[in-house]
Amino acid sequence: MFYFRRKGWEVPDSQATDEAIFMSRRRFAKSLAAGSILATAAPAALIAGSGEALAKRVPLTVEGDPSADLYPVIRNPRYKFSREITPAEINASYNNFYEFGSHKSVWKAAQDLKTRPWMVKVDGMVEKPFDIAIDDLLKQVRLEERVYRHRCVEAWSMVVPWSGFPLADLVKLAKPLGKAKYVRFESFHDSGMASGQKAFWYPWPYTEGVTMAEAMNELPFMVTGAYGQPMAKQFGAPLRLALPWKYGFKHIKSIQRVTFTDQRPETFWEKLAAREYGFWANVNPEVTHPRWSQATERVLGSQERVPTQLYNGYGEFVASLYEGMKGEALFK
Ligand code: MTE
């Protein structure tokens, strides 16, 4: 919706459906031209409470997931949240997962994602590269729950109880060499399974990256579950990243490869539209996106708009990572 009105996010959810239909007709041409993360309509009926039928159909976990017995896990109280947790049904029916389509109802198509067997390759500048099955990885880490705020670059937000383990623990398992400066993440690439990957104009597979200093910070979280269960496919099962002080496009889903490197990884959205989406992508209400303001955000599941916070409110944990970094575009 951001293509047609400068202040498109001010359209109330009650008007969103028409806009979505309009948008779907224009989406292909416009997204190609702008190379943009699209913002389509919120699940208005669901938010208004009239979407019970939909809520019942939306899977909130993966049926028969072999890790189900590991959940729920104990919540870590260190990470505070001031707003209410977003209802699971709302979160699970409003997603970005371009491998399965460029609209917000990808949850249906995402059920085609096959989450077992699932191997994760750890390679690059490490003592010894290895491949590990997700269920073996789960045996080597301690799971906990963290409730994190999630702020999408499209100016909507939610609060999610993720389960998982710190990225820093995965870094320790990987034993990187001293010369490694970045961690690069890669999602799966299988257009037979993921219909969205037939869209050849996207630079598949989805890739993301962080610096080693960021990776060793306490906040980055390797997510394996949500809402007390193995996470649903549309959340990026069986392994995704949560970086709560960065815009949501950094939170790469369905990770299959983790590479330690001395080269700054070029990311999926950077390749598509470097002017709009950068490597750092730290949340900052004062740095506008080229096409919309980042000053406020729409809280999914409510009619509220709230002020956006610098580093999405996580400055006490991460601001020091960026001290003295002059000349870097830290906020896009
Ligand atoms: N990871 C992959 N592999 N593919 C994607 O399309 N979208 C990103 C991110 N991770 C995306 C991805 C974007 S733009 C956002 S906002 C978040 O996932 C959305 O996560 P959610 O659907 O759980 O809210």
Side-chain angles (χ1 to χ4, degrees):
M1 79 174 73
F2 294 127
Y3 297 109
F4 308 106
R5 303 176 199 192
R6 196 151 190 82
K7 294 189 177 175
W9 60 90
E10 288 172 4
V11 174
D13 285 336
S14 57
Q15 289 173 21
T17 308
D18 290 350
E19 181 104 353
I21 293 164
F22 179 47
M23 184 64 199
S24 68
R25 286 193 210 114
R26 306 275 304 265
R27 183 180 294 130
F28 174 73
K30 291 285 182 181
S31 65
L32 253 189
S36 168
I37 298 175
L38 297 172
T40 52
L46 199 58
I47 289 168
S50 60
E52 277 173 39
L54 172 61
K56 277 188 196 135
R57 279 194 293 129
V58 176
L60 304 180
T61 188
V62 179
E63 278 312 313
D65 189 297
S67 68
D69 287 350
L70 300 177
Y71 304 89
V73 289
I74 306 243
R75 180 174 298 174
N76 186 334
R78 183 167 159 79
Y79 307 103
K80 310 271 184 263
F81 53 104
S82 48
R83 289 196 304 276
E84 277 175 33
I85 289 179
T86 307
E89 298 78 10
I90 288 180
N91 186 353
S93 56
Y94 189 80
N95 302 98
N96 279 329
F97 203 169
Y98 277 69
E99 285 84 342
F100 295 98
S102 56
H103 52 86
K104 292 292 184 285
S105 303
V106 284
W107 65 268
K108 285 181 218 127
Q111 301 317 305
D112 290 344
L113 175 65
K114 209 167 159 272
T115 55
R116 293 294 189 286
W118 192 272
M119 297 299 293
V120 180
K121 180 179 274 305
V122 177
D123 66 356
M125 295 174 168
V126 292
E127 277 181 20
K128 199 166 177 249
F130 59 90
D131 292 353
I132 187 165
I134 185 70
D135 294 300
D136 292 333
L137 178 59
L138 285 169
K139 283 181 202 139
Q140 298 212 28
V141 292
R142 228 188 86 225
L143 295 179
E144 63 182 51
E145 183 178 80
R146 294 186 181 188
V147 182
Y148 275 170
R149 291 183 295 276
H150 174 103
R151 171 58 160 84
C152 179
V153 74
E154 296 163 345
W156 52 264
S157 68
M158 56 188 177
V159 179
V160 194
W162 298 122
S163 308
F165 57 93
L167 170 59
D169 290 356
L170 180 62
V171 173
K172 281 174 213 147
L173 281 176
K175 302 198 180 83
L177 304 177
K179 57 189 178 186
K181 292 196 168 54
Y182 299 91
V183 190
R184 177 183 183 275
F185 300 90
E186 192 175 298
S187 300
F188 66 89
H189 191 180
D190 180 352
S191 62
M193 175 177 73
S195 51
Q197 288 189 325
K198 294 198 169 86
F200 59 85
W201 52 93
Y202 289 119
W204 307 113
Y206 199 101
T207 50
E208 260 305 335
V210 295
T211 64
M212 280 296 285
E214 289 176 323
M216 294 310 290
N217 181 274
E218 68 175 86
L219 287 188
F221 201 49
M222 299 305 294
V223 175
T224 58
Y227 298 92
Q229 307 183 79
M231 84 181 126
K233 294 182 177 183
Q234 60 270 35
F235 291 147
L239 186 66
R240 76 175 270 174
L241 183 61
L243 302 164
W245 74 102
K246 291 183 182 282
Y247 290 118
F249 64 87
K250 298 283 300 179
H251 302 212
I252 181 170
K253 296 180 169 185
S254 302
I255 296 165
Q256 277 195 339
R257 187 171 177 190
V258 181
T259 305
F260 292 80
T261 167
D262 57 0
Q263 304 294 312
R264 186 159 111 177
E266 206 190 358
T267 69
F268 182 85
W269 284 105
E270 239 184 333
K271 282 183 210 153
L272 276 168
R275 205 177 71 84
E276 302 195 354
Y277 310 108
F279 173 78
W280 299 102
N282 296 313
V283 175
N284 188 333
E286 287 175 9
V287 179
T288 55
H289 182 276
R291 289 178 287 126
W292 59 84
S293 163
Q294 296 291 18
T296 62
E297 61 205 49
R298 180 167 58 86
V299 178
L300 276 199
S302 82
Q303 299 298 327
E304 248 188 303
R305 274 208 91 78
V306 298
T308 289
Q309 301 176 68
L310 181 61
Y311 295 114
N312 200 22
Y314 293 97
E316 62 176 301
F317 298 103
V318 295
S320 61
L321 287 170
Y322 307 105
E323 270 163 18
M325 278 200 189
K326 293 209 175 68
E328 288 286 344
L330 292 172
F331 303 106
K332 68 154 193 174

